[in-house]
Amino acid sequence: MATREEITSGLGEILEEVAGVNPDDVAEGKSFTDDLDVDSLSMVEVVVAAEEKFGVKIPDNEVQNLKTVGDAVTYIEANA
Amino acid sequence: MVAGSRIVAMGHYQPSRVVTNEDLTKTLDTNDEWIRSRVGIAERRIADTETVADMATFAAEKALAASGLSAADIDLVVVATCSSIDRCPNVATRVANKLGITAPAAYDLNTACSGFSYAVGSADHAIRAGAARHAIVIGAEKLSDVTDWSDRKTAVLFGDGAGAAVMSGVPDGEEPGVGPVLWGSAPDKGDVLRIEGWRPYIEQEGQIVFRWATTELAPFAIEACRRAGVKPSELAAFVPHQANTRIIDGIVKRLGLSETAIVAKDLVESGNTSAASVPLALSKLIERREVPSGAPVLLFGFGGGLTYAGQVVRCP
């Protein structure tokens, strides 16, 4: 089972690859759109990549609830 | 007996009025950078007086002239459209009448943005069955009629236009130029893309459509190639529905095309023209002689329904 730190760092790698985000900026309190400048379509790409990386299903209706990196970490931790 | 069908010639028509992203900023809170980075569109053509049937006719007229056939040879007219406000007579008979095609089988088909590949598949089946000899297949849309011009989420996306193909039977012993159609739908996702009610405007859940298109469609496109006996790496060009460059890139990433394959990105100058997008883009590739005659091209449409369809065709 991955720790929250490991999930955050994994998300950092994904965010760097699909949206060009500096992984050093990725922290639990950061908002995907407001702080990391991830647009709505890149967010979908992040979700798809996270599903694969963490072996978790993130349904369409859940994506809008993932406002911050911490929201995503919590969801992945609970559902992986 | 016929072995199948082939596309003999193509033609297209777009209205003369160009609407740039900059033009849209005069009435909408949007900007060029946002539209280009999210969608990939720089400008679109918007009809003033032309109807769907007018644009369909102009495109078909060009395709017919390039085919060397005459109106009297045509016995099937199929029009793919989801935006024709005039319901009856249907668009296909209007086109036939304007072109002097006197007694064709003539019908419209609505599978939204996948319409052209559905229509090519239907015409191919009719020709194979002996129900038609020469067909005109058209994708034509006036999406400006069903666009809410005050909604910045959708108004930046769409355009008007038409593209047409003339299809003929291929005699036994010769290689067909239209591969088997791969067609289908995901009706349970239908509510994420709508043109409903009165008066109808296009609405969509962009994230869900984007996810579906970028994650679920590539296997169908690959299957369309397999059915035609062509490897994706052997395709000379890929002409997908022109909705969003990021959707196109997402599908391409999973296809396994060769480095030299052309990927149509006509939406940059045309916007999303739904059923017209694939024939418009293909017709322009042919007009610019970017694809050699006989080379395999994968057409793949997807959109409202949600529906999808594709086939490998040989470039006329």
Side-chain angles (χ1 to χ4, degrees):
Chain A
M1 192 68 199
T3 64
R4 292 187 73 90
E5 289 70 29
E6 286 164 348
I7 296 170
T8 304
S9 132
L11 284 171
E13 288 166 23
I14 291 170
L15 284 159
E16 182 179 26
E17 190 183 331
V18 307
V21 173
N22 181 346
D24 295 340
D25 294 342
V26 177
E28 288 210 20
K30 294 289 178 73
S31 153
F32 288 108
T33 43
D34 299 337
D35 299 324
L36 303 176
D37 206 20
V38 176
D39 70 38
S40 65
L41 301 186
S42 292
M43 191 60 205
V44 172
E45 294 171 326
V46 169
V47 163
V48 170
E51 282 194 335
E52 197 169 317
K53 191 175 194 102
F54 300 108
V56 60
K57 281 269 166 247
I58 308 174
D60 289 334
N61 57 14
E62 196 60 47
V63 176
Q64 61 197 3
N65 300 329
L66 308 180
K67 308 272 189 226
T68 66
V69 174
D71 293 340
V73 173
T74 300
Y75 183 87
I76 291 165
E77 197 177 32
N79 293 278
Chain B
M1 285 294 288
V2 294
S5 70
R6 67 191 174 99
I7 295 177
V8 183
M10 300 279 307
H12 64 272
Y13 173 83
Q14 290 182 283
S16 58
R17 182 153 72 101
V18 176
V19 175
T20 64
N21 292 343
E22 200 56 45
D23 293 334
L24 291 175
T25 63
K26 289 169 195 155
T27 51
L28 286 172
D29 179 16
T30 188
N31 65 72
D32 181 56
E33 193 279 328
W34 191 96
I35 300 170
R36 284 177 190 259
S37 66
R38 300 300 198 286
V39 194
I41 295 168
E43 59 187 45
R44 68 286 293 146
R45 301 296 184 98
I46 299 297
D48 284 312
T49 56
E50 303 99 321
T51 63
V52 172
D54 291 334
M55 293 187 282
T57 302
F58 297 145
E61 206 163 28
K62 290 181 189 163
L64 188 59
S67 74
L69 296 170
S70 70
D73 297 315
I74 304 298
D75 51 11
L76 173 64
V77 180
V78 185
V79 178
T81 185
C82 67
S83 59
S84 179
I85 301 299
D86 299 324
R87 299 297 165 134
C88 190
N90 66 17
V91 181
T93 53
R94 291 171 193 260
V95 171
N97 194 40
K98 286 182 182 175
L99 294 181
I101 304 169
T102 52
Y107 61 92
D108 296 356
L109 172 161
N110 174 6
T111 60
C113 308
S114 65
F116 186 71
S117 278
Y118 264 85
V120 168
S122 296
D124 177 59
H125 298 163
I127 291 169
R128 285 173 184 270
R133 291 181 308 125
H134 303 284
I136 295 184
V137 175
I138 305 163
E141 301 283 11
K142 191 176 181 183
L143 295 179
S144 58
D145 274 351
V146 290
T147 297
D148 176 354
W149 289 98
S150 66
D151 176 7
R152 66 174 181 168
K153 292 198 301 294
T154 55
V156 302
L157 303 177
F158 303 108
D160 301 332
V166 173
M167 292 172 58
S168 295
V170 171
D172 260 341
E174 286 181 32
E175 198 63 33
V178 173
V181 66
L182 177 295
W183 56 12
S185 64
D188 60 316
K189 290 190 170 70
D191 62 350
V192 302
L193 214 169
R194 305 172 301 276
I195 311 176
E196 291 184 327
W198 187 258
R199 70 166 296 236
Y201 292 120
I202 304 170
E203 298 172 285
Q204 67 170 349
E205 317 302 329
Q207 279 187 316
I208 300 179
V209 174
F210 180 80
R211 184 176 186 174
W212 173 74
T214 52
T215 60
E216 297 191 30
L217 296 180
F220 298 131
I222 291 168
E223 174 62 12
C225 293
R226 195 193 62 79
R227 290 186 186 183
V230 173
K231 294 191 186 77
S233 60
E234 295 167 344
L235 292 168
F238 175 45
V239 183
H241 170 51
Q242 305 284 301
N244 184 314
T245 47
R246 290 166 64 175
I247 290 178
I248 295 173
D249 293 341
I251 296 174
V252 165
K253 213 161 60 181
R254 294 162 191 250
L255 269 190
L257 300 174
S258 78
E259 301 245 316
T260 55
I262 292 168
V263 176
K265 298 240 173 112
D266 182 55
L267 80 166
V268 177
E269 59 184 54
S270 301
N272 176 347
T273 58
S274 189
S277 81
V278 169
L280 257 179
L282 178 60
S283 180
K284 289 181 185 179
L285 287 183
I286 293 166
E287 187 177 71
R288 294 195 298 257
R289 300 180 193 280
E290 289 183 35
V291 184
S293 179
V297 177
L298 173 63
L299 313 182
F300 198 84
F302 51 90
L306 297 172
T307 62
Y308 52 86
Q311 64 270 97
V312 174
V313 302
R314 297 281 165 178
C315 191

